[in-house]
Amino acid sequence: MADNTVQKIIDAALKVFGEKGYKGATTRLIAEEAGFSELTLFRKFKTKENLFDMALTQNIVKFNDEFQSIILEDRSEDPGEFLRTLIKDMARIVDDNFEFIHITNNEKSEESQPFKEEIINDLSNYIKKNIPDNQIDNKALAVTIFMVSYGISLSKHRGENFINHEEVLDGFINNSLQLING
């Protein structure tokens, strides 16, 4: 695990990269957000690119750990209950990791594309295993769950209060249940 200074800088970087994007995020802003000097930032990471890569790598591991935990915890035999729980869990994980997911959806990097492919493939396989219906395009459903979860989280983080986020999530769940129930 990273030392306290390194972790504070990584956390600040994630926040600033999420808000400003890679190009808009300056090392000065990141250092200020972390409460350190730019010199400390450069001593620990050498370059902005190294810091960006470290923030992504660390958060890929964190997200994957959280995703794997829902796979281990969700044990419902009923396909409807399984899907309801899965969508709620994904929405929570995406929201809890919003800055990271926002970066992977908006910044090109060597890490983000394989990460998203792996999550979608794992989610698709998990759906197929728990909802054995060959009428469902599992990959399309996996992408939809991931992107709807991100869209709801994005709306929350932008402070868009004209949307009742819980109602939207419940509506999506109900529509998804109709899909599997035929």
Side-chain angles (χ1 to χ4, degrees):
M1 182 65 182
D3 71 38
N4 196 34
T5 300
V6 167
Q7 192 58 54
K8 284 182 180 179
I9 294 170
I10 290 172
D11 292 344
L14 189 67
K15 181 178 179 195
V16 174
F17 287 131
E19 291 171 357
K20 306 279 185 190
Y22 182 82
K23 289 182 181 178
T26 65
T27 54
R28 182 185 57 76
L29 280 173
I30 295 168
E32 285 175 8
E33 179 71 30
F36 297 104
S37 69
E38 262 187 297
L39 181 61
T40 300
L41 184 148
F42 284 116
R43 224 179 302 127
K44 298 288 184 180
F45 295 96
K46 306 292 185 238
T47 67
K48 176 179 159 181
E49 184 178 0
N50 287 345
L51 176 55
F52 182 76
D53 291 344
M54 176 68 86
L56 283 184
T57 299
Q58 186 183 81
N59 281 279
I60 285 170
V61 170
K62 179 180 178 255
F63 188 93
N64 280 331
D65 287 349
E66 290 181 41
F67 179 70
Q68 293 303 316
S69 75
I70 68 166
I71 288 175
L72 294 174
E73 291 173 9
D74 291 347
R75 299 259 182 226
S76 179
E77 297 291 324
D78 176 52
E81 189 55 38
F82 160 78
L83 189 58
R84 177 183 308 283
T85 302
L86 175 63
I87 293 170
K88 285 186 176 198
D89 285 345
M90 282 303 297
R92 177 186 48 78
I93 291 172
V94 167
D95 198 49
D96 288 349
N97 294 277
F98 174 75
E99 289 88 1
F100 166 66
I101 298 300
H102 188 64
I103 291 166
T104 62
N105 281 328
N106 291 289
E107 298 290 335
K108 291 183 180 182
S109 74
E110 290 180 21
E111 292 89 359
S112 63
Q113 189 67 26
F115 159 75
K116 289 190 291 189
E117 287 176 20
E118 181 181 340
I119 289 299
I120 296 304
N121 285 333
D122 288 351
L123 189 54
S124 175
N125 291 332
Y126 186 50
I127 291 167
K128 184 177 183 176
K129 177 181 164 190
N130 287 279
I131 306 175
D133 179 350
N134 57 9
Q135 298 293 324
I136 296 173
D137 184 333
N138 297 308
K139 189 165 252 180
L141 183 56
V143 168
T144 304
I145 291 170
F146 186 79
M147 293 311 293
V148 167
S149 296
Y150 171 67
I152 291 170
S153 188
L154 178 62
S155 177
K156 281 185 198 176
H157 286 269
R158 287 183 172 167
E160 295 173 350
N161 296 324
F162 64 91
I163 297 171
N164 182 321
H165 301 99
E166 291 301 317
E167 281 181 13
V168 170
L169 184 62
D170 287 341
F172 175 63
I173 290 169
N174 291 333
N175 288 340
S176 299
L177 291 173
Q178 287 178 12
L179 174 73
I180 67 165
N181 292 328

